[in-house]
Amino acid sequence: MKTIILDPGHGGSDPGAAYKGNEEKTFNLLTALKVREYLIDKYEVRILMTRSENKTMSLTERSNYANSTNADFYLSIHHNAGGGTGFESYTFNGSVPAATLTYQTVIHNGFTNEIKKKYPVIDRGKKRANFHVLRETKMPSLLVEILFIDNDKDLSLLNNTGFRNDTAMLIAEGVAKALSLPEKKESPGGQLFKVIAGSFNDRKNAEDRAALLKQKSYDAFITTVVISGKTYYRVQAGAFTDKARAEKLIAELNKEKIEAFILTEGTGNGTAPPPEPPAKDVTILGESLLKAHQLNEFVKTINNGAPLLGEYYIRYGKEYGIRGDIAFGQAIHETNYFRFTGQVKPEQNNFAGLGTTGPGVDGASFKSPEEGVLAHIQHLYAYASKEKLPPSHPLVDPRFSLVNRGSAGYWTQLNGKWAVPGTTYGQSILSVYRRNLAHALAEIEIQKKNIQERLDLLE
C-alpha cells in the first residue's frame, strides 16, 4: 500500500495570506482534510498529514517528518496571494526524482482541465521553484496554489463549499491517477458498510477512542469530514462489503459499551446514496413510552456519574407534545452518555449541542440542568411544529427563531439540519432509543420473573 503525505501549509501562529478576515491556513486545512477523506474512502492508500488541526509547524519539522515516513509522495496544499488569479503548481527547480514531473503533469492537468468546465479558473501553469518542502523532501513532491485569497472573485469561490469539495475531489483523483492507486473493492451491489465507533469535534477525543479500540484488539483509524465548515473526527473500526459482518462488529462493540453505527457508502456507479432510514415513521411529536427512572437507569449502565435528567425530559416532553424519551436518546448521542467528550462542557448544561455552529464556537449555556433540558425540548418543538410555543414557560432556546419551523416531523429528518455528523444523525438517535427500550424490557422481564417466583412461593 502506498503512503501519501498531505501538508496543509501554514497553521497555528502562522496564518499565511490573510484578506478580509479570511486566512490561508484555514483554507489549506479544509482542502487537505477533504482530499484525505476522498482518497481513504475510495482507494487503497495510507494517508499521513503534517497537521490535521490549527497547529504551528516549521518548514523543517514538515520535511523531517516526511523523510521519516518512507512515503511515496508529498503534496503541500496552499492558497495564493499577491493580486493574481488562478491555479498553479510547483516542483523543485533542482534535481528531483524521475517521477516528480510526471506526477505534476497528471495532477495539474487533471485539475485544470476539469475545474474550468464548471468554474472560471485560470491555469497559471506548471512551475518550478526553490521551496523548502520541495527541496528538502526525499520523495516526489508537489506544491499547489489554489486561487488567490486576496482576489475577491477567487475568494468567493474559496468560500463556496461546492467549489472546495470539487477542488479536493479533482486533486485526489489526480493523485490517485498519478500514483496508480488501486480502488477499494466493493460488494456486488456496490456498497461498503463502514463501522463508525465515535464521531467527535475534538481530535484528542477521537484519538482516545481509537486507542481504546486498539487496546481491546480492534482495528481503528481516524477519518475527518467537514460539514458546514465544522470538522468532525470519525473513528472507523472496520469496513465490510458484507453488512452482516458489520452488524456483528457493532454487536461486539456494544458489549464493550462502545456506541457505534453503520455508515453505508457506495453504489454500482460509485456514488453514495442516503441510507434507508430505519423506523422512518417515528415522529418527533408524540407520547413517551419509557418512564423517567428507565431513562436514568439505562444511561447509568454506561456512565454511572450521569446526571439524573429523566424526569425533566419526560415532564417537558409531555408539556410540549415531544417524545421526551427519544429526546433523551438524542442528548445521550450529543454528549456521549453525558461524558461531554465533544465541544460542549458539563457546566454549560447544553445537552443538545445548541449553538455549536463551528470550530471554536462553544455553544449556548444554561443556568441549570432543568433549563438546558427545556431549551432542548423547545428546539425540537421548533423543528416538529409550526404552532406557537405553549405559554407555560418562557423561551430559553436562543436559536428557536433560526429554525425553519415544521421542517422535521420525523427524527430522521433532522439529518443535515441539527448538528450532524453525516446522513445518519436521526438513525443514531433511534439506535440509542432502541437500546434503551431493550434495557427497560429486560428489566421488566426480571421483575416479572421475580413476581412469578413470589407467587409460586405463596401457592
Side-chain angles (χ1 to χ4, degrees):
M1 181 181 293
K2 291 181 178 177
T3 299
I4 295 170
I5 295 179
L6 298 180
D7 172 34
H10 307 286
S13 61
D14 174 15
Y19 181 69
K20 293 184 177 180
N22 297 274
E23 294 181 328
E24 180 192 355
K25 66 178 183 179
T26 302
F27 289 127
N28 295 344
L29 181 58
L30 289 174
T31 300
L33 290 171
K34 201 66 181 178
V35 171
R36 179 184 188 274
E37 176 191 3
Y38 190 92
L39 286 170
I40 286 177
D41 282 351
K42 192 171 180 181
Y43 296 97
E44 298 289 348
V45 64
R46 179 183 181 222
I47 302 293
L48 302 175
M49 297 188 70
T50 57
R51 68 179 182 97
S52 56
E53 57 189 356
N54 186 23
K55 174 183 177 182
T56 304
M57 241 187 136
S58 70
L59 296 176
T60 300
E61 286 176 319
R62 295 169 196 260
S63 58
N64 285 348
Y65 171 71
N67 292 334
S68 71
T69 63
N70 196 32
D72 298 281
F73 182 58
Y74 179 97
L75 176 63
S76 190
I77 295 176
H78 288 256
H79 292 72
N80 223 330
T85 181
F87 174 90
E88 60 193 20
S89 65
Y90 289 87
T91 56
F92 177 49
N93 61 1
S95 177
V96 295
T100 300
L101 298 181
T102 300
Y103 290 173
Q104 181 186 27
T105 297
V106 172
I107 295 168
H108 184 107
N109 291 353
F111 177 82
T112 54
N113 290 343
E114 292 301 319
I115 199 71
K116 63 186 179 183
K117 293 178 181 178
K118 192 173 180 180
Y119 304 98
V121 173
I122 293 175
D123 180 1
R124 295 172 58 86
K126 297 182 284 290
K127 302 180 179 181
R128 305 190 69 173
N130 187 23
F131 295 148
H132 176 97
V133 294
L134 301 179
R135 181 185 68 247
E136 300 299 329
T137 46
K138 299 176 181 178
M139 69 291 298
S141 301
L142 180 69
L143 184 147
V144 295
E145 294 274 10
I146 306 166
L147 305 191
F148 281 67
I149 194 173
D150 57 354
N151 178 297
D152 287 327
K153 290 184 178 179
D154 282 8
L155 182 60
S156 67
L157 287 177
L158 296 177
N159 279 313
N160 181 325
T161 302
F163 174 81
R164 291 203 307 270
N165 289 343
D166 288 341
T167 293
M169 182 270 290
L170 290 174
I171 290 175
E173 287 290 359
V175 170
K177 183 178 180 180
L179 276 75
S180 301
L181 299 180
E183 288 195 37
K184 284 186 174 178
K185 295 180 180 179
E186 295 184 341
S187 65
Q191 290 185 317
L192 187 66
F193 302 98
K194 296 181 178 181
V195 175
I196 308 299
S199 186
F200 306 89
N201 302 123
D202 187 337
R203 184 178 179 88
K204 177 62 167 57
N205 293 327
E207 290 172 348
D208 289 345
R209 176 60 58 83
L212 174 63
L213 288 166
K214 291 176 181 177
Q215 179 184 344
K216 295 180 178 293
S217 300
Y218 292 103
D219 291 332
F221 66 91
I222 299 171
T223 64
T224 56
V225 59
V226 180
I227 302 172
S228 300
K230 188 173 182 179
T231 302
Y232 296 91
Y233 301 95
R234 289 175 175 166
V235 182
Q236 184 169 315
F240 307 91
T241 56
D242 182 357
K243 187 175 183 180
R245 293 180 62 195
E247 291 172 339
K248 180 180 178 182
L249 177 55
I250 291 244
E252 292 178 5
L253 293 173
N254 287 342
K255 288 181 180 179
E256 298 284 353
K257 297 185 178 181
I258 298 174
E259 185 180 353
F261 63 92
I262 294 176
L263 186 63
T264 306
E265 294 188 0
T267 63
N269 60 10
T271 61
E276 181 66 23
K280 59 184 177 182
D281 58 339
V282 178
T283 58
I284 294 174
L285 295 176
E287 295 183 2
S288 297
L289 179 62
L290 295 171
K291 306 298 182 183
H293 72 89
Q294 293 171 320
L295 304 182
N296 293 331
E297 290 166 1
F298 169 69
V299 74
K300 282 185 171 293
T301 64
I302 304 297
N303 177 15
N304 193 50
L308 302 179
L309 302 178
E311 179 186 349
Y312 298 141
Y313 274 99
I314 296 302
R315 187 208 316 163
Y316 287 124
K318 183 176 182 179
E319 290 186 28
Y320 285 82
I322 300 290
R323 297 183 192 273
D325 51 357
I326 305 182
F328 185 80
Q330 184 182 19
I332 284 177
H333 177 68
E334 284 282 347
T335 64
N336 191 14
Y337 287 85
F338 301 101
R339 291 178 292 200
F340 296 94
T341 54
Q343 200 165 335
V344 175
K345 305 306 177 187
E347 58 270 19
Q348 292 177 249
N349 295 313
N350 184 348
F351 309 117
L354 300 178
T356 54
T357 55
V361 182
D362 293 333
S365 293
F366 302 98
K367 63 183 181 183
S368 67
E370 182 176 359
E371 184 179 272
V373 174
L374 176 59
H376 183 183
I377 295 297
Q378 288 178 344
H379 204 64
L380 283 168
Y381 187 83
Y383 274 112
S385 174
K386 294 183 179 180
E387 300 296 325
K388 292 182 179 179
L389 275 171
S392 52
H393 301 283
L395 177 62
V396 295
D397 170 22
R399 301 185 65 80
F400 187 90
S401 63
L402 303 178
V403 174
N404 181 11
R405 297 294 310 279
S407 61
Y410 301 103
W411 290 96
T412 52
Q413 289 179 326
L414 293 177
N415 295 350
K417 295 184 176 72
W418 203 284
V420 286
T423 59
T424 60
Y425 182 70
Q427 289 91 327
S428 296
I429 294 169
L430 294 174
S431 177
V432 174
Y433 178 58
R434 189 179 297 112
R435 291 197 292 277
N436 200 337
L437 287 172
H439 178 266
L441 183 60
E443 291 296 316
I444 291 172
E445 290 299 324
I446 292 173
Q447 292 174 10
K448 287 171 62 178
K449 180 180 179 181
N450 291 338
I451 291 172
Q452 184 62 53
E453 289 177 352
R454 187 68 55 87
L455 284 172
D456 292 343
L457 287 174
L458 295 174
E459 287 184 355

